[in-house]
Amino acid sequence: MKIKENFRFFLKKAPAVWLCAAGVWLTGCGNQPMWQDTFYTMDTVVTLTLPESDANATRKSLEALSQQLNCYADQGALAALNASGTSQDADLRDVISQTILLEDRFGTGVQLSSGALSRLWGITSEHPRVPTDADRLAALETLGDDRIRLDRSGITLPADMQLDLGAVAKGYALDQTAQQWQDAGIAWGILSLRSSVLLYGSKPGGEDFTVQIQDPNGTGILGTVTTPACFLSTSGGYERFFEADGVRYCHILDLTTGRPTETDLTSVTVFTDNGLKSDFLSTLLFLEGSEHLEPHLHAADYQVLAVDAAGKIYYSDGLQFQKAGA
């Protein structure tokens, strides 16, 4: 078995976006300098651009969420829920309830109850493997976010269920950060979790943010998107996979088969006003493939940029996308 790379719980998506910014020190509003800090948490490289005085608080919050939402950790809220089947943790309840609302609107191609299946394949762990058909089919029987019970006393899971928040955790972290920055009165800032990004506030002079989109079928830049403040997330299978007996297995699982997806799309980026929604939708659209993409390109509350294996680019009405070299 050939392992392409060793990734863990939160690295579910390819790092397909870069932000165009200046060096370490950037000009902020008034005389307040902007500080760029890079560190590692949520099992990814995190880049913060915001006033230096606020960077430490943001970092601590992200590190705390990383521990709480990690289904592979020995400790933390999600680990405790998976072990006991019950929890009163407010963040977990918030993530679950928001995700279920999105499932009600968009379908159940992405489900939090995929923990047993995710662990079975272990694609984002240090020891990925191809499970037996019997084990795969048994894990599929544990799915069903509609079986999660939410009430005033908290969260209750069926005895056979394990949750995996990898499809929405980074987006939720962006939402929490945006609220924290709003409460702190921060004028503008950027949080990059590589595949999920928060572009916050209004930059000096009111200029938009510029995002470079990686070409999933090569090593260069597909193009750039100019956008006001928003949340964006990218899903793709081209950098996170493992190979066994000459077969490449994508890290994103198709919950109808219990196998890694065989979508014809190589990358999907979603721009919207909510981090968890961008994270959820980028995974869902990637799984659904190009044949189901058209309605999403005309959505009123989010925008999409997608690429298929043949290099065809799809993007939403009104998205300010400029193809490289055009």
Side-chain angles (χ1 to χ4, degrees):
M1 179 183 295
K2 177 184 176 184
I3 308 301
K4 176 66 176 178
E5 293 187 54
N6 287 329
F7 294 95
R8 298 184 183 176
F9 69 107
F10 278 110
L11 287 186
K12 289 200 65 182
K13 299 179 181 166
V17 296
W18 294 282
L19 297 167
C20 299
V24 172
W25 289 94
L26 301 168
T27 302
C29 294
N31 295 320
Q32 190 174 33
M34 298 295 284
W35 174 252
Q36 191 170 87
D37 186 23
T38 301
F39 55 96
Y40 194 87
T41 194
M42 298 185 104
D43 225 15
T44 192
V45 177
V46 178
T47 303
L48 276 174
T49 303
L50 75 166
E52 184 177 8
S53 59
D54 298 292
N56 190 51
T58 299
R59 178 172 182 166
K60 286 183 177 179
S61 296
L62 290 171
E63 290 172 344
L65 276 177
S66 176
Q67 177 69 22
Q68 291 298 89
L69 304 182
N70 179 2
C71 68
Y72 293 104
D74 294 330
Q75 297 180 337
L78 183 56
L81 172 60
N82 281 337
S84 69
T86 62
S87 175
Q88 294 181 325
D89 184 82
D91 282 326
L92 285 182
R93 197 182 193 289
D94 194 18
V95 171
I96 294 168
S97 61
Q98 286 192 57
T99 303
I100 289 175
L101 286 175
L102 290 171
E103 291 174 10
D104 289 342
R105 176 180 173 186
F106 295 105
T108 55
V110 176
Q111 296 191 55
L112 303 181
S113 53
S114 59
L117 188 64
S118 298
R119 284 179 173 272
L120 187 63
W121 282 90
I123 297 176
T124 57
S125 73
E126 295 180 358
H127 303 289
R129 57 199 173 277
V130 179
T132 66
D133 288 344
D135 287 344
R136 175 177 54 82
L137 293 174
L140 280 175
E141 292 296 319
T142 69
L143 294 174
D145 284 9
D146 58 340
R147 298 193 296 136
I148 303 171
R149 195 173 78 213
L150 299 176
D151 54 36
R152 292 182 180 179
S153 64
I155 310 159
T156 304
L157 303 181
D160 63 342
M161 184 179 289
Q162 299 276 293
L163 299 190
D164 178 357
L165 307 185
V168 295
K170 283 185 178 180
Y172 182 74
L174 299 185
D175 291 329
Q176 295 297 98
T177 299
Q179 185 61 57
Q180 182 181 5
W181 289 0
Q182 181 178 329
D183 294 342
I186 295 173
W188 73 279
I190 298 170
L191 168 59
S192 170
L193 303 178
R194 298 188 75 185
S195 65
S196 291
V197 178
L198 165 62
L199 306 176
Y200 177 85
S202 179
K203 292 173 67 177
E207 63 179 292
D208 286 337
F209 296 89
T210 301
V211 180
Q212 290 184 330
I213 307 295
Q214 182 180 343
D215 184 352
N217 300 319
T219 58
I221 302 298
L222 184 72
T224 60
V225 173
T226 303
T227 176
C230 69
F231 300 82
L232 62 122
S233 294
T234 296
S235 289
Y238 55 96
E239 287 193 349
R240 285 164 175 73
F241 58 87
F242 79 101
E243 294 180 358
D245 299 325
V247 179
R248 178 181 293 190
Y249 296 94
C250 170
H251 65 287
I252 299 177
L253 300 177
D254 182 339
L255 301 186
T256 64
T257 65
R259 299 179 183 275
T261 181
E262 296 181 0
T263 177
D264 67 328
L265 294 175
T266 54
S267 175
V268 175
T269 301
V270 174
F271 302 77
T272 188
D273 59 354
N274 177 272
L276 190 148
K277 182 166 70 175
S278 73
D279 214 358
F280 176 94
L281 281 175
S282 67
T283 304
L284 180 69
L285 272 58
F286 180 73
L287 284 163
E288 288 182 341
S290 63
E291 65 176 312
H292 298 287
L293 196 57
E294 183 65 23
H296 297 288
L297 300 179
H298 309 295
D301 57 331
Y302 57 93
Q303 295 176 309
V304 177
L305 175 66
V307 188
D308 67 20
K312 183 178 179 179
I313 302 172
Y314 310 77
Y315 59 95
S316 292
D317 306 329
L319 187 68
Q320 299 301 305
F321 172 69
Q322 180 68 39
K323 185 177 180 181

